[in-house]
Amino acid sequence: MYTIGEISSLCGQPVRRIRFYSDHGLLPPAARTDAGYRVYSAADVARLDLIAALRGAGVSMANIRKILSQRLSLADVLRLLREGEVQQSTHVAPLLLALAAAGRVAF
């Protein structure tokens, strides 16, 4: 289990942002200590990395919530990015091309 400070260091995300994601239901803590501090699991570290990557790609909080609840697949998000419905940052286009070339995402 990781404290919020430890998960912040591991993922390179500010503690304030992690609290924001937690408060908005995107990254609920795995547990709380007796003193009420949030603690996170290794799976939460991966979840935070996914949230950060999606936010960096211009995916909205609403769509991230859908992805995390499995109502919207990653392929659906990539399709939205390709169709211009989601703003792309400059590093997303090469990622889309690489995924398509690797056959991981069909366009």
Side-chain angles (χ1 to χ4, degrees), residues 69-89:
S69 68
Q70 300 182 6
R71 290 183 297 190
L72 190 63
S73 71
L74 186 54
D76 291 338
V77 173
L78 292 173
R79 188 172 50 256
L80 291 173
L81 286 167
R82 186 182 54 109
E83 293 170 358
E85 292 184 35
V86 175
Q87 178 184 348
Q88 292 184 35
S89 58

Side-chain angles (χ1 to χ4, degrees), residues 37-93:
Y37 293 105
R38 304 166 211 232
V39 291
Y40 296 91
S41 68
D44 294 326
V45 172
R47 186 178 179 105
L48 178 57
D49 283 339
L50 175 60
I51 292 167
L54 292 170
R55 288 296 293 154
V59 178
S60 71
M61 296 283 285
N63 282 337
I64 291 173
R65 188 171 283 108
K66 288 178 186 176
I67 292 166
L68 295 175
S69 68
Q70 300 182 6
R71 290 183 297 190
L72 190 63
S73 71
L74 186 54
D76 291 338
V77 173
L78 292 173
R79 188 172 50 256
L80 291 173
L81 286 167
R82 186 182 54 109
E83 293 170 358
E85 292 184 35
V86 175
Q87 178 184 348
Q88 292 184 35
S89 58
T90 56
H91 63 276
V92 173

